[in-house]
Amino acid sequence: MIDPIELVIFDCDGVLVDSEVIAVRVLVRLGEEYGWPLTEAEVVETFVGRSEAVNNALVAERLGAETAAVWGKRFHELHAEAVDAGLTPVDGLPEALAAITLPTCVASSGTHEKMRHTLGRTGLYERFAGRIFSATEVGRGKPAPDLFLHAARSMGVDPARCLVVEDSGPGVTAARAAGMRALGYAGGVTAAERLAGPGTVVFEDMRELPSLIAAYQG
């Protein structure tokens, strides 16, 4: 017998707010500036869905610790500017949230500071306030299961009764490792084939989300 879902865990960037497109664009620019030429596809493969600490380590390995520090500072500046210039919720997300009746929370590779900015800019912060978890709170970020397990534990829900909404390869991998089912959103920067796998339903329109969640409730 399959456990019914009691908690929906949302990733933030690319699932709630349309910020992954911004991040990819900024990272391509930084690669050009600091000598690591990257296509958008390479940025998605290398960086998207991973924690800031992991991404900083990747840059340091390639370009050195000093350059990585400058890269990280520039990323925050450029990303914040772009967010303030016009970040929006993911298309269809507000309508989907309005129709979801199950308890929800956020578990993101981003820092709390970043989420306060992006969720605040789009009017979503208050909806999740007090139920927002960051990879900075655990030892290992995605694709390790630590963050999702931490969120489930904090919310008092068994991992088997959690459903994760993700848009990245590391994110869906982390959900599977945590023993959770996943919905992989392929309407953003990550191709559907990178999200597909065991225990995962891939979809492309956030307006489908309420009915997809309902299917897990029996």
Side-chain angles (χ1 to χ4, degrees), residues 67-135:
T67 299
V70 177
W71 174 300
K73 184 173 183 294
R74 286 281 288 149
F75 177 82
H76 283 293
E77 292 170 350
L78 294 171
H79 189 275
E81 288 173 9
V83 165
D84 287 337
L87 180 66
T88 61
V90 167
D91 184 44
L93 188 277
E95 303 95 309
L97 287 179
I100 295 170
T101 57
L102 284 173
T104 59
C105 69
V106 178
S108 171
S109 293
T111 64
H112 280 287
E113 180 183 14
K114 181 182 177 186
M115 286 186 279
R116 275 192 297 272
H117 187 206
T118 57
L119 292 175
R121 183 68 179 75
T122 52
L124 293 171
Y125 187 80
E126 289 305 318
R127 195 187 195 291
F128 293 100
R131 308 186 317 281
I132 299 174
F133 307 99
S134 166

Side-chain angles (χ1 to χ4, degrees), residues 31-47:
E32 291 172 352
E33 290 181 3
Y34 293 103
W36 187 359
L38 291 158
T39 65
E40 290 190 357
E42 287 169 340
V43 166
V44 171
E45 174 74 24
T46 305
F47 294 105

Side-chain angles (χ1 to χ4, degrees), residues 109-176:
S109 293
T111 64
H112 280 287
E113 180 183 14
K114 181 182 177 186
M115 286 186 279
R116 275 192 297 272
H117 187 206
T118 57
L119 292 175
R121 183 68 179 75
T122 52
L124 293 171
Y125 187 80
E126 289 305 318
R127 195 187 195 291
F128 293 100
R131 308 186 317 281
I132 299 174
F133 307 99
S134 166
T136 59
E137 300 171 46
V138 295
R140 300 177 300 168
K142 305 169 189 177
D146 303 32
L147 177 57
F148 289 141
L149 292 173
H150 170 58
R153 187 165 52 249
S154 299
M155 296 292 292
V157 178
D158 188 288
R161 294 177 180 267
C162 294
L163 179 64
V164 173
V165 186
E166 262 287 355
D167 74 318
S168 74
V172 291
T173 299
R176 292 173 197 138

